[in-house]
Amino acid sequence: MRRAIELAARGRFGASPNPMVGAVILDAEGRLAGEGFHERFGGPHAEINALAAAGDRARRGTLYVTLEPCNHYGKTPPCTEAILKAGIRRVVIAMPDPNPVAGGGAERLRSSGVQVTMGVASEEARRLNIRWLYWASRGIPWVTLKAAVSLDGKMATRLGDSQWITGPAARRRGLELREEHDAILVGIGTIRADDPRLTRRLGMNRNGRWLRIVLDSTLAIPATAALIREDPGSVLLVHTARAPATRRSRLADAGVRLLEAEAGPDGRPAIGPLLRSLAAEPISALLVEGGPAVHGSFNDGGFVNEIELFMAPTIIGGNGAPAAIGGLGAGMLDEAKRYMIVSVTRHDTDVEIRAMRTDGADVHGSD
């Protein structure tokens, strides 16, 4: 099963918004017959790839798979039918599928006489697919907030200069994050300040699905913006009812997608309802690379699951220099969102700090 989990991790760039799944098949004598993983969304599932590799040696063999085999017709036929057709005698599963549409595979196999064991190395399998499991169980995407800051937590100088705080190695790692998420989100302030393209450009993800989302309440984005000039069909502009009809028409004619969102108390798109809409795209993992205002909106609403902070050994200083996260914030320390540092990685002179929500745990051990 641990080999199956290793294989599943190879789907990091391409499987999403599907889960990462790995499969290993042993023949009737317990020898390795075939293995496979889910390489990209819309492609064959891990079980199908492993069965193809095993061929006739799969008959009366054992299948080890990190997620309960699907039992429905989606983009591909049910894996349960392929398993039964191959003559697999026993199936060992790490964790059940929480999706009520795709689930039920274990029971389908049992009812057909296959021996099924559930729960082997389940915790390792869950950690691997924590983003997908969150989306599948909560109905909103897993949100990763990414920011590049100085040692004193500033995203830019008091004059707005922000390119570049971190060096080439850290910036490349930041681009790699795009390869493992389904979409990227920024605010109109980022478009005005940097005119970014927000593209994937490392070639690591063979899945062509990539959505570039901009929060723009009144659709003030200029028609000359770089992301509109390059592949406008992959752009989603999120606005409110305040956006004038003339701007909506102009941008729709340019080929971009428009989404009218519910406005929050501040007049900007409300994050909670927006995330539910994005989950249906489907988007299971969302990368937020906005400025302090956008980051603050996600933080205030409690929607940040993971933080990727790139810190440069630089002090910017200045009362007017923006910090990474704005918004209302916490009034008292016990109201602050708590995170657990998962890893710290050096990229030349810069540091990448990865942290995840702990749902109120005392991360300093002071209780």
Side-chain angles (χ1 to χ4, degrees):
M1 185 62 78
R2 289 199 169 89
R3 173 57 181 166
I5 291 172
E6 289 177 3
L7 291 166
R10 295 184 184 180
R12 175 183 168 201
F13 303 113
S16 189
N18 280 351
M20 291 178 277
V21 182
V24 174
I25 296 175
L26 304 184
D27 65 16
E29 283 71 44
R31 296 170 301 197
L32 179 64
E35 56 185 30
F37 67 98
H38 183 43
E39 299 181 28
R40 61 182 180 83
F41 179 72
H45 288 186
E47 301 95 316
I48 304 304
N49 287 329
L51 288 169
D56 292 339
R57 294 181 63 198
R59 187 158 300 278
R60 298 192 57 77
T62 300
L63 166 67
Y64 291 82
V65 62
T66 59
L67 180 69
E68 181 181 13
C70 68
N71 191 43
H72 79 302
Y73 282 90
K75 288 187 175 296
T76 60
C79 288
T80 51
E81 299 307 313
I83 292 168
L84 293 172
K85 184 177 180 180
I88 291 287
R89 179 185 59 184
R90 180 173 178 240
V91 176
V92 181
I93 304 168
M95 65 177 184
D97 191 329
N99 186 337
V101 175
E107 185 54 39
R108 171 73 177 93
L109 294 171
R110 284 194 186 101
S111 66
S112 298
V114 177
Q115 299 175 34
V116 177
T117 302
M118 180 78 75
V120 175
S122 60
E123 189 55 37
E124 293 97 321
R126 288 180 185 278
R127 282 200 300 268
L128 181 68
N129 277 308
I130 189 169
R131 294 171 179 167
W132 178 81
L133 285 167
Y134 184 87
W135 167 77
S137 61
R138 304 290 184 92
I140 60 175
W142 176 276
V143 173
T144 301
L145 187 153
K146 178 253 180 182
V149 299
S150 59
L151 277 178
D152 53 340
K154 306 294 186 180
M155 288 189 73
T157 69
R158 58 184 171 80
L159 299 179
D161 187 22
S162 62
Q163 294 186 339
W164 298 96
I165 290 178
T166 54
R171 295 201 298 272
R172 190 188 189 284
R173 168 60 185 145
L175 289 174
E176 186 177 296
L177 290 173
R178 299 182 184 183
E179 305 282 337
E180 60 187 75
H181 287 76
D182 304 317
I184 188 171
L185 183 147
V186 303
I188 185 60
T190 296
I191 302 299
R192 287 181 176 137
D194 302 330
D195 193 25
R197 293 182 296 148
L198 305 178
T199 54
R200 283 179 178 157
R201 46 189 181 270
L202 299 183
M204 303 170 76
N205 193 320
R206 297 194 301 139
N207 180 348
R209 300 176 71 258
W210 177 240
L211 192 60
R212 300 176 291 163
I213 306 166
V214 180
L215 302 185
D216 184 4
S217 299
T218 62
L219 293 178
I221 189 170
T224 56
L227 80 168
I228 292 180
R229 296 197 312 269
E230 183 173 339
D231 190 18
S234 69
V235 176
L236 177 65
L237 299 180
V238 181
H239 62 89
T240 66
R242 294 189 294 131
T246 53
R247 294 181 182 176
R248 301 187 196 203
S249 177
R250 170 178 60 84
L251 289 163
D253 289 344
V256 303
R257 293 175 55 192
L258 302 176
L259 174 63
E260 182 173 324
E262 176 185 329
D266 59 0
R268 298 173 178 174
I271 302 302
L274 171 61
L275 288 177
R276 287 190 287 275
S277 296
L278 295 179
E281 282 286 326
I283 293 171
S284 65
L286 175 66
L287 181 64
V288 176
E289 282 194 20
V294 169
H295 291 171
S297 294
F298 277 84
N299 178 65
D300 287 342
F303 296 115
V304 179
N305 304 100
E306 182 176 354
I307 294 177
E308 285 278 359
L309 193 68
F310 295 86
M311 182 170 286
T314 306
I315 296 291
I316 292 177
N319 291 329
I325 299 178
L328 182 62
M332 302 295 290
L333 276 178
D334 61 5
E335 299 171 354
K337 309 295 189 299
R338 297 288 180 173
Y339 291 80
M340 182 70 70
I341 294 177
V342 176
S343 62
V344 179
T345 308
R346 291 196 63 164
H347 301 284
D348 290 341
T349 59
D350 303 318
V351 172
E352 173 191 359
I353 302 173
R354 180 173 177 241
M356 296 176 63
R357 276 295 293 272
T358 61
D359 293 325
D362 180 16
V363 296
H364 297 299
S366 56
D367 283 349

